[in-house]
Amino acid sequence: MTDKIFVDTNVLVYAYDISANKKHEVAVSVIENLWYSGNGILSSQVLSEFFVVVTRKIPNPLSVEIAKSIIKDFLTWDVIPIYEDSVLDAIDILQKYNLSFWDSMIVECALRGGASLLLSEDFSDGLEIEKLRIQNPFK
């Protein structure tokens, strides 16, 4: 069995934000590798955040139609939904590891999805939470 890799919103956004320069190149490579390996997982939270950021907050926003099409493609990956008890589990993670609530939701979904690695620039590189290691792919 191959290890699952959870992708945080920032990595996904950089893959579609050409103004991100080097981060764009790294993110495209990461996403391409995960497409080929089939090991990538996301959450409904990540896809929601992605939509908002790429249609409103990047220098050259994508159209709603293009963003929707990209999200449809990513729905072929394992997408971890947010369940009722996900919120409670995220609160436990928040308390134990002193993370923000939304970062705790990302960690909770990565753990729920069975990921061994979380790719994000929003956490301390190398942080380990339970069976999950966090890596900043841009370092």
Side-chain angles (χ1 to χ4, degrees):
M1 181 176 154
T2 52
D3 290 336
K4 293 183 180 182
I5 300 171
F6 190 98
V7 178
D8 197 359
T9 309
N10 50 59
V11 178
L12 206 58
V13 167
Y14 288 138
Y16 293 90
D17 179 7
I18 58 172
S19 70
N21 300 320
K22 181 67 176 160
K23 287 183 179 183
H24 170 71
E25 294 172 23
V26 170
V28 166
S29 177
V30 165
I31 298 302
E32 284 178 350
N33 287 336
L34 292 172
W35 273 109
Y36 293 126
S37 71
N39 295 346
I41 63 173
L42 302 161
S43 68
S44 53
Q45 174 187 345
V46 166
L47 292 175
S48 299
E49 291 173 354
F50 169 81
F51 177 80
V52 171
V53 173
V54 299
T55 59
R56 297 185 183 168
K57 297 184 178 184
I58 61 174
N60 297 303
L62 303 179
S63 70
V64 168
E65 295 79 22
I66 290 173
K68 183 178 179 182
S69 176
I70 291 167
I71 290 169
K72 280 184 182 178
D73 288 342
F74 278 111
L75 292 177
T76 63
W77 288 26
D78 287 340
V79 178
I80 310 305
I82 295 174
Y83 297 101
E84 296 88 350
D85 62 339
S86 299
V87 176
L88 298 176
D89 292 344
I91 292 169
D92 290 341
I93 291 167
L94 173 149
Q95 290 176 311
K96 186 172 182 181
Y97 296 96
N98 198 31
L99 300 174
S100 75
F101 176 75
W102 296 113
D103 286 349
S104 297
M105 284 298 300
I106 293 293
V107 169
E108 192 284 327
C109 288
L111 289 168
R112 186 177 294 259
S116 60
L117 182 63
L118 164 59
L119 298 177
S120 178
E121 70 173 357
D122 289 346
F123 298 83
S124 296
D125 188 51
L127 178 66
E128 292 190 17
I129 298 176
E130 298 179 23
K131 298 176 267 184
L132 182 67
R133 185 172 53 85
I134 300 169
Q135 179 183 336
N136 181 346
F138 307 110
K139 272 194 137 181

